[in-house]
């Protein structure tokens, strides 16, 4: 797997992330969603397992930076993240 296969993007209407077909058994079925506190419908999402654990080694450099930023500003810029199934 190449890290460039995975990433998280800013989104106006929801979350988008590129999940590769070989992302892992449970890793590809869930997203950890950080919802913006100031811009309704915007946020960041990252592939995770059912417990919300993100495999940082599988994220692109930009996605990893976005994830670490989002975690650092929970309560200031983003709400506490929630785990969602990808099919929601």
């Amino acid at each position: 797997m190449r890290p460039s296969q995975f990433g998280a993007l800013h989104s106006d209407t929801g979350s988008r992330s590129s999940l590769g077909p070989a992302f892992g058994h449970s890793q590809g079925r869930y997203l950890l969603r950080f919802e913006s506190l100031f811009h309704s419908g915007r946020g960041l999402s990252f592939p995770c397992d059912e417990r919300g654990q993100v495999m940082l080694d599988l994220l692109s450099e930009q996605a990893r930076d976005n994830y670490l930023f989002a975690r650092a500003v929970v309560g200031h810029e983003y709400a506490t993240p929630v785990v969602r199934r990808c099919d929601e």
Side-chain angles (χ1 to χ4, degrees):
M1 279 190 239
R2 294 183 325 243
S4 61
Q5 288 178 289
F6 310 104
L9 303 172
H10 293 275
S11 174
D12 291 331
T13 59
S15 64
R16 290 182 286 167
S17 72
S18 57
L19 302 173
F23 188 68
H25 183 62
S26 65
Q27 262 313 147
R29 289 187 261 173
Y30 298 91
L31 292 173
L32 186 64
R33 174 80 175 160
F34 291 84
E35 197 70 37
S36 172
L37 294 174
F38 303 105
H39 304 286
S40 179
R42 293 185 111 183
L44 296 172
S45 294
F46 305 90
C48 67
D49 65 14
E50 65 276 357
R51 296 177 300 178
Q53 294 181 340
V54 175
M55 293 182 67
L56 294 177
D57 293 343
L58 298 179
L59 296 177
S60 68
E61 184 176 348
Q62 180 181 0
R64 192 170 33 255
D65 289 346
N66 288 343
Y67 173 73
L68 294 173
F69 173 76
R71 277 187 21 183
V73 296
V74 166
H76 299 281
E77 296 286 330
Y78 293 103
T80 302
V82 295
V83 177
R84 293 188 179 167
R85 287 190 57 89
C86 287
D87 55 0
E88 286 184 354

